[in-house]
Amino acid sequence: FFGVFDGHGGKRCADFSARNLPKLVSHNIDKTPRSLFQNAFEKLDDQFLSIARSKSWNDGSTAVAALLRDCTLTVANAGDSKAVLSSKGQAVVMSRAHTPGHEEGKHRIEKKGGKVDFRRTWGVEATRAVSRAIGNRSLKAFVTSEPDVTTKPLQKGDDFLVLGTDGLWDHVKPQ
């Protein structure tokens, strides 16, 4: 299990996610990869939001995680972090960035009554530049924690995986 967590509005959610997502994944390891990660991200979000409500925290975190099991790679992502597999020297993007500017995120947010606008970058309610993340108590009506999940059987020539935040992918192309 590997994961990268990029906090916004503070580091509490990222630290909480880094400590707790591996435990939640291991508790459900017998489930299918998709339901394992969907379940783990939902529980992680619920647990953090419970603490955040009691302490009036509004921070959140993106999360990109990878699980290697039985020569199969599963990647789960919520936010603008990304996973890229090097396969025979070619970049294989294993996840997509969830930003409010993408049609899927924008449509979902606006359908729930939220506002997506552009001020140097796309944002939800003029604050967050992600449409999926853990936490974000004040924007939870619009920002979901549901991850995209991708599974790939590994084969000869699959050399390494890079998990990185938007800080990397804003400056480095996957290849």
Side-chain angles (χ1 to χ4, degrees), residues 2-4 64-66 75 82-84 161-165 168-169:
F2 305 90
V4 172
V64 60
V75 172
K82 196 183 307 181
V84 176
L161 179 72
V162 177
L163 302 177
T165 69
L168 173 66
W169 303 117

Side-chain angles (χ1 to χ4, degrees), residues 5 13 16-17 20-25 28 31 33-51 53 61 63 65 76-78 112 132-136 140 143-149:
F5 307 92
C13 187
F16 181 88
S17 297
N20 291 287
L21 187 59
K23 295 174 195 173
L24 291 167
V25 167
N28 293 298
K31 294 187 177 197
R34 178 168 307 284
S35 64
L36 179 152
F37 273 112
Q38 287 175 335
N39 213 324
F41 273 56
E42 181 181 348
K43 284 183 180 174
L44 180 68
D45 193 45
D46 289 346
Q47 289 173 359
F48 182 76
L49 287 172
S50 178
I51 296 166
R53 277 189 286 280
S61 180
N77 182 55
K112 291 184 173 195
R132 298 186 191 201
I134 307 299
N136 298 105
K140 193 51 27 179
V143 176
T144 181
S145 63
E146 183 181 349
D148 279 334
V149 180

Side-chain angles (χ1 to χ4, degrees), residues 65 82 85 91 99 138:
K82 196 183 307 181
L85 175 69
T99 63
S138 63

Side-chain angles (χ1 to χ4, degrees), residues 152-170:
K152 180 189 183 310
L154 293 179
Q155 50 200 356
K156 188 174 176 138
D158 291 339
D159 297 317
F160 59 89
L161 179 72
V162 177
L163 302 177
T165 69
D166 62 327
L168 173 66
W169 303 117
D170 286 349

